[in-house]
Amino acid sequence: MLKYFSEAFEELKSNVTWPAWAEVQKYTIIVALFSVIFALATWGVDLTFTKVLTGFFNLLKG
């Protein structure tokens, strides 16, 4: 087990190409904005379906 972690750490140090800090920040902002937009879209669809279904069931009640 110790050998596995030692080799994995060495792999991360020597063979992985890490992005520049500015690139990481840019992609973090993109992901955060997309997450907010997706959350708002999901909320909007949920609100729309809630209103549609409420109206439908109110029609059924008569």
Side-chain angles (χ1 to χ4, degrees):
M1 186 66 105
L2 184 60
K3 182 180 176 185
Y4 170 78
F5 285 114
S6 159
E7 289 175 358
F9 184 72
E10 187 60 37
E11 181 82 18
L12 287 172
K13 279 186 1 184
S14 60
N15 295 337
V16 175
T17 304
W18 297 99
W21 182 244
E23 190 177 9
V24 172
Q25 288 176 326
K26 181 177 76 169
Y27 289 137
T28 300
I29 291 169
I30 291 170
V31 168
L33 286 174
F34 179 77
S35 297
V36 169
I37 291 168
F38 187 73
L40 289 172
T42 302
W43 173 75
V45 169
D46 181 57
L47 187 63
T48 301
F49 276 119
T50 299
K51 288 185 179 200
V52 168
L53 288 174
T54 301
F56 176 72
F57 286 118
N58 284 337
L59 281 175
L60 289 179
K61 282 186 197 177

